Amino acid sequence: MTVVTRLTAPLLLPCDPGCSVLRDGVLDIDGDGRIAWCGPAVDAPDAPGASVRRLDGLLLPGLVNAHCHTPMTVLRGMGGDLPLMRWLREVMWPAEARLAAPDVRAGMLLGCVELLRAGVTTSVEMYFYTDAVAEAVLAAGSRVVLTPGIIDAPGWDRLGTWRQMLDEVSARIDSDGLRYGPGERVELGYGPHAAYTLPAEALPAVADAAAERGALVHLHLAETADEDAAQRARYGSVPRMLHELGVLGRADRLLAAHAVHLDAEDIALLARHGVAVAHCPGSNAKLAAGTAPVGALRSASVPLALGTDGPASSDDLDLWSTARLAGRLARLASGDAADLTAADLLLLATRHGAAAIGRPDLGSLEPGRWADVVHVSTDDPAFLDLDDDAGLLSNLVWAGGGRLVRDVWVAGSQVLAAGEPTQVDRASVQSSARAVATRLRHP
Ligand SMILES: [Zn+2]
């Protein structure tokens, strides 16, 4: 495949397993939007006819936000000081009942712009009005793993029964394909909300439908101590419930968001069945839900990713700040200042996050993967010594981050230029979302 675009930069972080720092780097992108070559300029092959962009600063792969409800940007700030169950039942669910599809589209579009501006190219979304969410992603040019919510809880029957929600996702995958859109920007999956918002028979039914189609199953798991008291009384814990119902053996790609309240047996079950965890420390802290046992999950080799959770609970969509919090909390929990290094955190946000959601075609600048690329400026007080690899990674993760993102490409197309989206007008995206937010607050 011919190289159509060549990006060069003084620093290149491919997010390979060793988290290398390459100097005087070259990244070649082919006509399909995949990476053709990545490495130091001295080894670069000829790329006749390629358009060459010479950038300052550094290049790295787009970040993966593994758990989000991005359209909730329009609900941001509502009910901000309530614990999870009251927040959901008293504020969020009634407000969401007033959202129509165009409102969800406006909220998602705003969130896509926010994500891209932080260098997050992929988000795993659980929401409703699937067409509206997918349309917004395609309009902004970002990437999504879209797992429509399947839920049986007060008020949600307006969208049908859980069985109808499940069948609708299966019908979509069967007609549109598991992945579609330019550069396969949209992947469909299943979003059974949680064990406490679904009858027990729903979870194996979802797992079967997903396994048949190679799709991701994405659910909330053990987020707060009291949410699934009934399930715990009957089965011992939600992981044990999933095991007893046969869900763990059935779903090939299972992603559990939060996973805060787990004991050693639960962690062993997740590890044995390859269940991945989307760690959401920002949301868990803000809702006073607890702190996930990241050290034990890592020791058990549970695949880990990072998630912001929805912008109504976390409240920003900046995965860099989530990464920093993950590092700080892990160190406080273990008393070990070497826990979760800058390189570990960067890989969690990129390569390992992509692997955890079952997408080895994302999260690293390696030939064959999608060219989802972020350009970060190093012209900033956060970066003084660019010559030391460890120092550079440390400055990027602990002191730099999303505010220094300048340009973003998804599947080889530039979707952010000098901090502004190229496919949509930020001012009009903001004003549409603001109109929705105002209406929700003043019905
Ligand atoms: Zn969530």
Side-chain angles (χ1 to χ4, degrees), residues 9-12 21-26 39-41 386-389 392:
L11 296 158
L12 199 150
V21 176
L22 304 183
R23 309 272 160 182
D24 195 12
V26 165
L386 296 175
D387 295 331
D388 172 58
D389 290 358
L392 176 80

Side-chain angles (χ1 to χ4, degrees), residues 5-14 20-29 35 37-45 52-60 365 373 375 392:
T5 306
R6 168 167 284 186
L7 305 178
T8 73
L11 296 158
L12 199 150
L13 308 179
S20 315
V21 176
L22 304 183
R23 309 272 160 182
D24 195 12
V26 165
L27 179 77
D28 286 341
I29 302 171
I35 294 164
W37 194 84
C38 176
V42 63
D43 299 329
V52 180
R53 287 276 309 274
R54 294 184 202 288
L55 301 156
D56 59 6
L58 58 86
L59 294 174
L60 71 155
L365 303 181
V373 186
H375 169 223
L392 176 80

Side-chain angles (χ1 to χ4, degrees), residues 16-85:
D16 55 328
C19 206
S20 315
V21 176
L22 304 183
R23 309 272 160 182
D24 195 12
V26 165
L27 179 77
D28 286 341
I29 302 171
D30 71 21
D32 284 343
R34 290 183 187 267
I35 294 164
W37 194 84
C38 176
V42 63
D43 299 329
D46 288 339
S51 110
V52 180
R53 287 276 309 274
R54 294 184 202 288
L55 301 156
D56 59 6
L58 58 86
L59 294 174
L60 71 155
L63 274 54
V64 176
N65 184 348
H67 178 65
C68 207
H69 318 277
T70 296
M72 294 173 88
T73 48
V74 292
L75 306 173
R76 178 152 41 199
M78 292 173 72
D81 298 318
L82 292 173
L84 177 71
M85 292 317 295

